[in-house]
Amino acid sequence: MGNRFQMHDRFAAGAQYIGGRLRPGTSGRLQDIVDPATGETVHTYELAGAADVDAAVAAAGDALPGWAGATPGERSDALHRFAAVLADRAEDLAGAESLQCGKPVRLTTEFDVPGTVDNTAFFAGAARHLQGQSAGEYSGDHTSYVRREPIGTVGSIAPWNYPLQMAAWKVLPAIAAGNTIVLKPAEITPLTSLMFAQAATEAGIPDGVVNIVSGAGKDAGEHLVGHPDIAMTSFTGSTAVGKRVAEIATSTVKRLHLELGGKAPFVVFDDADVEAAAHGAVAGSLINTGQDCTAATRAYVQRPLYDAFVEAVAGLMATVRPGDPFDPSTDLGPLVSHAQRDRVAAVVDRARACATVVTGGEAPQGELKNGAYYLPTLVTGAAQDSEIVQSEIFGPVLVVLPFDSDDEGIALANDTPYGLAASAWTRDVYRAGRATREMKAGCVWVNDHIPIISEMPHGGYKASGFGKDMSAYSFEEYTQVKHVMYDNTAVVRKDWHRTIFQGR
């Protein structure tokens, strides 16, 4: 295997980061971190319990007045330093992410880590632009203006597919707006979230502003969401778990932000460039081994191009090289766990009864047999209402279906509970315009699929949740809007007082 990330006992003090320090959990239950490429345990730690969540929330509460009271310029300067520290730690962050997730090192070094550094730099600038609406005399007798204020302490839960980037997406807009945060990463992938918080401390962000509790969802997660001193919950994960998070959060009247599942359609019209579309479909369905809520999972291809598209995709998938995540020549790493690999395999196996597996559909053997690998898989002939078309698979699986009219293609694309992302492939500007208007998704790409950028929002429609990550739009989630109104007349008896005093 390649040059793997070394733990060097760096988390021997524990996997909880509270008040600027690592500490052990108190749940009494141990959690293994397993390298999914080999099946080997690389670290074991004690999970967080309710007491650890309470301690983290208390630390965040203690830090809140000072951090919320800092000027936008002071918070911006701290975030700029934060970005610099992350850039200096880039190699370590990439290595840890590849180790705990099985991501190819090309992905972590060219996407995960640079994207996180860029996102941090973006929010360093955005921290200075939290102004409300300009002042004005809207009633004639008063001057009104709008303030944006921090909400308080945020309790966030992040998933295992992009641990570093999801930590950044949760932490950065929250603290840029003057909040403090307690983040619960997935218990199987906490390493880079802990390193991210340590980098914040190194950058001079005060102790307690960023806290990490590494625990199980049923214990640490639910306690965090229901905590009375948490003012807002942000959750990224499955729609099923999101519903449970919403139940707990709304019972305590918290602000709630949900980024949930996806089943992104990839619509290829009959004037599209087949070669470009095939390359886009393979890259868009296999990135992060398909463990991406915006991954291309359902390709709808207009019938004149259908056969050529299927042939091209199958040919390209055959060239994709699974292998050691730390080998720079590896294209496809393992799934995050053997359990996740088995879930993906089970969906494909059930589909065989009514669909055709054109390529893939199995785990590789040989030197990769001990890892959680699954070959790139192309499926055709599935019914629109089948599980493999309607349900989120979260693996390297692409289903291709034909359509005839443009109306049908767009209708099929929208025929899902989800609405996170979609793409349209066409050389016709009017077709593209129609697709971007009518596809019900929070992001619609034209002649591409997957790219994201810090300046633009990410979030979904329908069962994919609500609210936005990244961009200045995320401040809508992490700030309170306050209307301030001044009387300009100095008149003791206002005209509207007649509603109470009549003529007196």
Side-chain angles (χ1 to χ4, degrees), residues 6 8 99 101 108 142 193 202 207-208 296 337 428 451 458 485-486:
Q6 299 300 313
H8 297 306
L99 180 69
C101 300
T108 57
H142 306 81
S193 297
E202 288 182 50
D207 293 348
S337 67
D428 185 322
H458 176 87
M485 195 174 199
Y486 286 91

Side-chain angles (χ1 to χ4, degrees), residues 4 60 146 316 432 436:
R4 311 182 75 70
V146 171
L316 286 170
T436 59

Side-chain angles (χ1 to χ4, degrees), residues 102-301:
K103 295 170 181 277
V105 72
R106 289 210 316 267
L107 180 64
T108 57
T109 58
E110 296 178 21
F111 182 70
D112 295 76
V113 174
T116 300
V117 174
D118 183 74
N119 211 229
T120 307
F122 169 80
F123 278 105
R128 290 181 176 266
H129 298 282
L130 278 166
Q131 67 270 23
Q133 189 173 352
S134 299
E137 287 68 51
Y138 298 100
S139 78
D141 292 334
H142 306 81
T143 295
S144 289
Y145 70 90
V146 171
R147 291 174 54 88
R148 284 194 179 273
E149 297 180 348
I151 292 174
T153 297
V154 178
S156 292
I157 299 176
W160 47 255
N161 59 330
Y162 289 102
L164 178 61
Q165 290 207 78
M166 294 297 101
W169 286 17
K170 299 302 182 193
V171 169
L172 294 171
I175 68 173
N179 304 286
T180 56
I181 189 167
V182 179
L183 171 71
K184 192 201 87 65
E187 61 269 31
I188 62 172
T189 56
L191 301 182
T192 48
S193 297
L194 293 165
M195 295 166 71
F196 186 76
Q198 288 176 311
T201 300
E202 288 182 50
I205 293 174
D207 293 348
V209 172
V210 180
N211 306 275
I212 308 293
V213 288
S214 305
K218 282 287 186 182
D219 302 321
E222 292 199 0
H223 189 63
L224 177 62
V225 174
H227 200 288
D229 294 329
I230 290 294
M232 174 192 166
T233 292
S234 178
F235 170 79
T236 295
S238 72
T239 298
V241 178
K243 290 178 180 178
R244 176 60 179 157
V245 169
E247 289 173 1
I248 299 171
T250 54
S251 70
T252 53
V253 199
K254 287 177 169 50
R255 178 79 67 89
L256 181 62
H257 166 221
L258 298 174
E259 197 266 88
L260 306 177
K263 191 69 177 174
F266 185 102
V267 181
V268 182
F269 294 97
D270 60 14
D271 66 329
D273 182 322
V274 175
E275 183 181 5
H279 277 82
V282 173
S285 63
L286 300 185
I287 187 171
N288 202 33
T289 319
Q291 299 166 123
D292 188 309
C293 50
T294 63
T297 59
R298 301 179 292 139
Y300 296 101
V301 184

Side-chain angles (χ1 to χ4, degrees), residues 356-367:
T356 300
V357 177
V358 178
T359 188
E362 61 183 359
Q365 297 303 307
E367 63 180 13

Side-chain angles (χ1 to χ4, degrees), residues 14-69:
Q16 319 304 323
Y17 196 76
I18 299 172
R21 290 165 185 79
L22 286 170
R23 51 187 274 181
T26 61
S27 70
R29 294 190 296 113
L30 299 180
Q31 173 69 46
D32 291 336
I33 299 174
V34 176
D35 176 355
T38 64
E40 298 173 356
T41 297
V42 296
H43 185 61
T44 300
Y45 71 94
E46 187 170 358
L47 288 163
D52 304 301
V53 173
D54 291 341
V57 173
D62 290 343
L64 181 62
W67 184 249

Side-chain angles (χ1 to χ4, degrees), residues 66-89:
W67 184 249
T71 67
E74 289 168 338
R75 290 198 293 267
S76 175
D77 288 346
L79 285 164
H80 277 299
R81 295 193 300 271
F82 190 10
V85 172
L86 291 170
D88 286 343
R89 306 285 184 275

